[in-house]
């Protein structure tokens, strides 16, 4: 039976107690534990606040807050997890914890008992260098990921080189591939130089602007245009900071990927987390240890042990990250189901770059999203095909998405359904990389293809380079089709590295209202790339049409207004 609340618990204070209630509220806001009430002679709220401020200035706060530095990630995770299992303070816990104790604890609670949130407390910084843009997109395709990639706006990529897949004994394919990419980089260099001079010729330098800043700004604008010629094979670099739980999931996903480079990347991440980490202070510490050893050999040996011991950032938490059978088997079956469902349906030309989808039953959304990822058709085309086959077939698709799910497997991303705003977006791959950074969205990517054509900016036409640009795209598409048709392992996957960033791809973005406003406001600013500016503005327009009363809450920039090329 539910207990009945007594009057003593629920009664409101009498009007005569209003002053003392105000005093209590001020005291409580500072964590003041004293039950003593203020004198009734104290009058104004301003006087109470002044007295309170004077009091707290002379007292140390009861809550202790301090930063922790120099602790290995797994030991830090153990120490923080002990808050739920021990009354010790952080400092006391860190003093008593050793690497062996941390490993034993994590093996027991993380792996045996499945307390996986413990790994959220171990954060790891990783540098990933000389990977392809294609692999970087896959690496960054994680909602809980924080990182930064090399910018195609602020850096010239002509010297970065490119990734060459394993073509085995197929020398003809390797020759065609390398020749195509060498051609693209030569065109990228030529167009970058031409566009820089074109922008200089049409943009007067302000008198108060330094010449170096003027040229640097216009070069960045030129790179924004010429990045469309960069192939997915282009070498890039990125840094990421992730917790060990996310890293384990990320590694398992990469190890299960369709492209060999991405699988090797997964192995490299796992090795980096479980092997000795790079110590930026190693050289200076070695010199210090040698100086100590010269004065006192015994103390020098101790200093070496304390200062130069190898640190492995996640030797326990990531060691069992392996390819995920759930992901691989489900991908194979859903890919086959999508192929059979859509085999008689041509990819329909898109009428708009952004399609705000209609509301629909949850089952319909899940089934459609599961198949959407494995074809190049629009969401509406896939949904229509599913509706023709009826409810029973939809449920079979949902069953395929869960049939191979293991005990500790998260559901596939396609099951993250129910968001109010869902946008089917068709945009160039270069612009997609910028939109891909919005982590609060649920993003479902389709694969790379030439079926949707490529983007061509008006700036290229204004500079008199359209015919050369179009010729380059036609040459690359012909080469890609030849590479994909080769009778070698992963021939289609290898051909995708030659796709320039200009080629369009589909992605489904699911989000709430606040995120739609955030993206529309951030990505329509004049300093942004025209590609994602148009997409973000189209998102705003779609929401405004469907929910006109909410349109006034968007603070967007009009993308049709002239842009100051020197604005950053």
């Amino acid at each position: 039976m539910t207990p009945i609340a007594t009057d003593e618990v629920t009664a409101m204070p009498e009007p005569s107690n209003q002053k003392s209630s105000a005093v209590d509220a001020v005291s409580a806001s500072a964590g003041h534990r004293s039950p003593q009430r203020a004198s009734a002679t104290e009058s104004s709220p301003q006087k109470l606040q002044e007295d309170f401020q004077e009091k707290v200035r002379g007292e140390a706060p009861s809550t202790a807050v301090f930063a922790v530095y120099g602790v290995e990630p797994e030991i830090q995770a153990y120490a923080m997890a002990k808050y739920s299992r021990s009354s010790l303070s952080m400092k006391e816990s860190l003093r008593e914890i050793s690497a062996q104790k941390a490993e034993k604890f994590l093996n027991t609670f993380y792996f045996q008992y499945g307390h996986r949130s413990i790994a959220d407390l171990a954060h790891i910084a990783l540098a990933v260098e000389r990977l392809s843009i294609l692999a970087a997109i896959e690496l960054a395709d994680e909602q809980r990921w924080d990182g930064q990639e090399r910018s195609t706006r602020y850096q010239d990529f002509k010297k970065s080189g490119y990734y060459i897949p394993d073509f085995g004994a197929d020398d003809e394919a390797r020759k065609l591939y390398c020749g195509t990419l060498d051609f693209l980089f030569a065109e990228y260099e030529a167009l970058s130089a031409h566009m820089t001079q074109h922008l200089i010729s049409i943009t007067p330098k302000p008198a108060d602007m330094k010449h170096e800043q003027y040229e640097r700004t216009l070069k960045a604008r030129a790179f924004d245009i010429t990045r469309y010629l960069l192939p997915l094979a282009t070498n890039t670099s990125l840094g990421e900071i992730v917790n060990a739980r996310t890293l384990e999931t990320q590694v398992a996903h990469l190890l299960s990927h369709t492209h060999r480079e991405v699988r090797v990347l997964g192995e490299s991440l796992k090795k980096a987390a479980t092997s000795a980490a790079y110590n930026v202070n190693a050289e200076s510490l070695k010199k210090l240890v040698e100086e100590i050893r010269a004065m006192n050999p015994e103390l020098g040996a101790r200093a070496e042990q304390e200062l130069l011991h190898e640190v492995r950032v996640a030797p326990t938490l990531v060691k069992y990250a392996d390819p995920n059978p759930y992901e691989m088997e489900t991908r194979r079956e859903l890919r086959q189901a999508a192929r059979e469902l859509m085999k008689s349906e041509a990819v329909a030309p898109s009428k708009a770059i952004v399609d705000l989808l209609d509301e629909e039953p949850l089952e319909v959304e899940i089934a459609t999203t599961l198949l959407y990822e494995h074809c190049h058709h629009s969401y509406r085309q896939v949904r229509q095909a599913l509706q023709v086959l009826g409810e029973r077939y939809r449920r079979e698709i949902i069953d395929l998405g869960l049939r191979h799910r293991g005990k500790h497997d998260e559901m596939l991303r396609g099951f993250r359904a129910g968001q109010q705003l869902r946008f089917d977006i068709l945009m160039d791959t270069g612009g997609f990389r910028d939109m891909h950074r919005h982590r609060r969205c649920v993003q479902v990517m389709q694969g790379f293809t030439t079926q949707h054509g490529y983007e061509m900016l008006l700036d290229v036409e204004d500079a008199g380079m359209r015919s050369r640009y179009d010729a380059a795209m036609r040459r690359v598409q012909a080469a890609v089709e030849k590479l994909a048709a080769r009778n070698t392992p992963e021939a289609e996957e290898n051909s995708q590295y030659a796709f320039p960033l200009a080629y369009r791809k589909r992605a489904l973005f699911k989000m709430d209202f606040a995120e739609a406003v955030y993206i529309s406001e951030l990505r329509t600013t004049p300093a942004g790339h025209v590609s994602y500016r148009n997409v973000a503005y189209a998102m705003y327009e779609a929401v405004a049409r469907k929910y006109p009363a909410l349109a006034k809450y968007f603070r967007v920039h009009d993308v049709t207004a002239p842009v100051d090329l020197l604005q950053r």
Side-chain angles (χ1 to χ4, degrees):
M1 180 180 294
T2 304
I4 298 175
T6 66
D7 291 341
E8 292 178 339
V9 175
T10 60
M12 297 295 288
E14 295 295 327
S16 60
N17 293 332
Q18 284 180 353
K19 285 185 180 180
S20 57
S21 296
V23 175
D24 291 341
V26 172
S27 297
S29 69
H32 184 59
R33 271 74 171 175
S34 172
Q36 183 177 356
R37 293 187 180 273
S39 168
T41 60
E42 294 178 333
S43 53
S44 71
Q46 181 179 357
K47 179 66 164 61
L48 290 173
Q49 184 66 21
E50 290 173 355
D51 291 345
F52 167 68
Q53 293 293 345
E54 184 65 29
K55 181 176 178 60
V56 298
R57 274 195 290 268
E59 292 182 356
S62 59
T63 301
V65 180
F66 54 91
V68 180
Y69 168 75
V71 184
E72 296 173 27
E74 288 195 353
I75 292 178
Q76 180 72 82
Y78 180 18
M80 289 190 170
K82 287 194 73 173
Y83 275 131
S84 68
R85 296 166 177 84
S86 169
S87 61
L88 293 178
S89 72
M90 174 66 69
K91 294 176 182 177
E92 290 170 330
S93 292
L94 288 172
R95 280 195 290 268
E96 76 158 20
I97 293 174
S98 65
Q100 290 80 10
K101 282 185 179 180
E103 182 178 0
K104 182 179 179 182
F105 171 84
L106 294 172
N107 276 326
T108 300
F109 285 90
Y110 186 72
F111 294 111
Q112 293 181 25
Y113 296 164
H115 294 181
R116 304 182 73 79
S117 61
I118 294 169
D120 293 342
L121 305 172
H123 281 75
I124 301 157
L126 293 159
V128 186
E129 300 177 351
R130 294 184 305 280
L131 75 164
S132 72
I133 289 178
L134 185 151
I137 290 173
E138 296 300 331
L139 180 61
D141 188 37
E142 165 57 56
Q143 270 191 297
R144 295 164 293 195
W145 183 83
D146 291 307
Q148 286 285 315
E149 185 185 344
R150 188 179 172 198
S151 172
T152 53
R153 163 176 282 192
Y154 299 112
Q155 296 193 48
D156 186 347
F157 275 71
K158 65 185 179 185
K159 297 180 180 178
S160 65
Y162 54 82
Y163 173 75
I164 302 176
D166 182 8
F167 290 100
D170 193 348
D171 293 333
E172 184 178 344
R174 184 182 296 102
K175 182 178 180 181
L176 175 59
Y177 176 87
C178 292
T180 302
L181 267 66
D182 289 341
F183 164 74
L184 275 175
F185 273 95
E187 291 296 282
Y188 168 76
E189 184 176 6
L191 186 59
S192 295
H194 185 87
M195 289 306 307
T196 300
Q197 292 305 312
H198 170 70
L199 295 179
I200 289 173
S201 70
I202 64 172
T203 312
K205 185 182 80 67
D208 60 345
M209 191 177 202
K210 292 183 179 180
H211 186 75
E212 295 79 8
Q213 182 185 358
Y214 169 74
E215 283 200 342
R216 185 169 60 249
T217 303
L218 292 181
K219 278 185 178 180
R221 291 286 186 179
F223 288 147
D224 256 357
I225 298 166
T226 59
R227 77 177 187 182
Y228 279 159
L229 287 166
L230 290 174
L232 285 170
T234 305
N235 284 333
T236 185
S237 299
L238 58 81
E240 71 171 23
I241 299 177
V242 293
N243 64 54
R245 184 180 185 181
T246 298
L247 181 60
E248 184 190 27
T249 302
Q250 186 182 47
V251 168
H253 169 68
L254 297 176
L255 292 174
S256 310
H257 203 267
T258 52
H259 291 63
R260 183 177 183 275
E261 182 203 8
V262 181
R263 296 194 297 271
V264 172
L265 174 61
E267 289 286 359
S268 299
L269 282 174
K270 183 176 179 179
K271 183 178 179 181
T274 55
S275 303
Y278 169 71
N279 184 349
V280 68
N281 298 312
E283 291 302 318
S284 60
L285 289 174
K286 284 179 183 178
K287 292 179 182 178
L288 178 60
V289 167
E290 290 305 317
E291 292 174 7
I292 296 173
R293 182 178 284 116
M295 294 185 291
N296 186 325
E298 183 179 346
L299 187 60
R302 182 181 170 189
E304 181 177 13
Q305 183 179 2
E306 292 290 332
L307 299 176
L308 296 177
H309 70 281
E310 289 186 341
V311 173
R312 290 170 170 77
V313 291
T316 309
L317 293 170
V318 184
K319 65 181 178 182
Y320 295 125
D322 293 314
N324 188 333
Y326 170 46
E327 180 177 339
M328 292 188 293
E329 287 299 310
T330 306
R331 178 176 61 223
R332 180 180 61 80
E333 293 184 359
L334 287 176
R335 183 173 288 182
Q336 178 62 28
R339 187 179 298 117
E340 292 177 359
L341 178 68
M342 307 305 294
K343 62 184 177 183
S344 60
E345 292 283 339
V347 175
S350 182
K351 298 179 180 178
I353 58 176
V354 171
D355 181 10
L356 178 58
L357 301 168
D358 308 317
E359 295 178 15
E360 60 197 355
L362 192 59
E363 281 188 8
V364 173
E365 180 187 346
I366 292 173
T368 307
T369 305
L370 287 172
L371 295 181
Y372 172 91
E373 182 179 356
H374 300 290
C375 64
H376 298 295
H377 297 76
S378 72
Y379 185 94
R380 290 182 186 273
Q381 276 193 282
V382 178
R383 184 176 61 189
Q384 177 62 32
L386 277 172
Q387 287 174 337
V388 170
L389 294 179
E391 180 180 348
R392 181 177 177 180
Y393 186 78
R394 286 200 303 270
R395 292 184 176 177
E396 288 179 4
I397 296 301
I398 294 173
D399 181 66
L400 283 182
L402 294 171
R403 183 177 299 169
H404 301 286
R405 186 183 177 213
K407 181 179 179 181
H408 298 296
D409 289 323
E410 291 185 10
M411 283 188 177
L412 296 176
R413 192 173 296 182
F415 287 95
R416 298 179 191 175
Q419 286 81 359
Q420 184 75 10
L421 300 175
R422 296 170 298 126
F423 300 92
D424 187 0
I425 298 177
L426 178 64
M427 67 185 305
D428 62 273
T429 305
F432 166 77
R433 291 170 68 242
D434 295 302
M435 294 290 290
H436 196 204
R437 298 172 188 165
H438 292 281
R439 301 294 163 200
R440 281 185 54 206
C441 302
V442 174
Q443 300 181 25
V444 181
M445 296 190 297
Q446 290 188 348
F448 302 103
T449 182
T450 59
Q451 293 187 57
H452 302 304
Y454 56 84
E455 204 69 52
M456 200 285 300
L457 297 183
L458 292 177
D459 302 84
V460 174
E461 188 168 2
D462 292 342
M465 299 291 281
R466 174 161 190 161
S467 60
R468 182 169 176 176
Y469 180 90
D470 287 335
M473 292 299 165
R474 288 195 298 271
R475 172 174 169 174
V476 171
Q477 182 168 352
V480 164
E481 291 171 356
K482 289 180 181 178
L483 289 167
R486 305 295 295 183
N487 188 25
T488 54
E490 296 189 18
E492 184 177 353
E493 287 79 6
N494 291 343
S495 71
Q496 292 172 355
Y497 284 99
F499 288 5
L501 296 182
Y503 276 96
R504 303 185 186 104
K505 66 173 293 180
R506 283 195 177 278
L508 188 62
F509 282 71
K510 305 180 181 183
M511 66 193 74
D512 57 29
F513 176 69
E515 184 66 2
V517 172
Y518 174 75
I519 292 175
S520 297
E521 292 181 352
L522 177 70
R523 295 299 182 184
T524 56
T525 57
H529 191 283
V530 63
S531 171
Y532 63 69
R533 289 190 73 211
N534 288 336
V535 168
Y537 196 77
M539 290 171 62
Y540 152 70
E541 289 182 311
V543 175
R545 282 194 299 269
K546 191 169 184 178
Y547 306 101
L550 297 175
K552 63 183 180 181
Y553 300 112
F554 288 78
R555 296 179 296 193
V556 296
H557 293 78
D558 184 358
V559 297
T560 63
V563 172
D564 180 359
L565 295 178
L566 297 175
Q567 184 177 349
R568 298 289 292 276

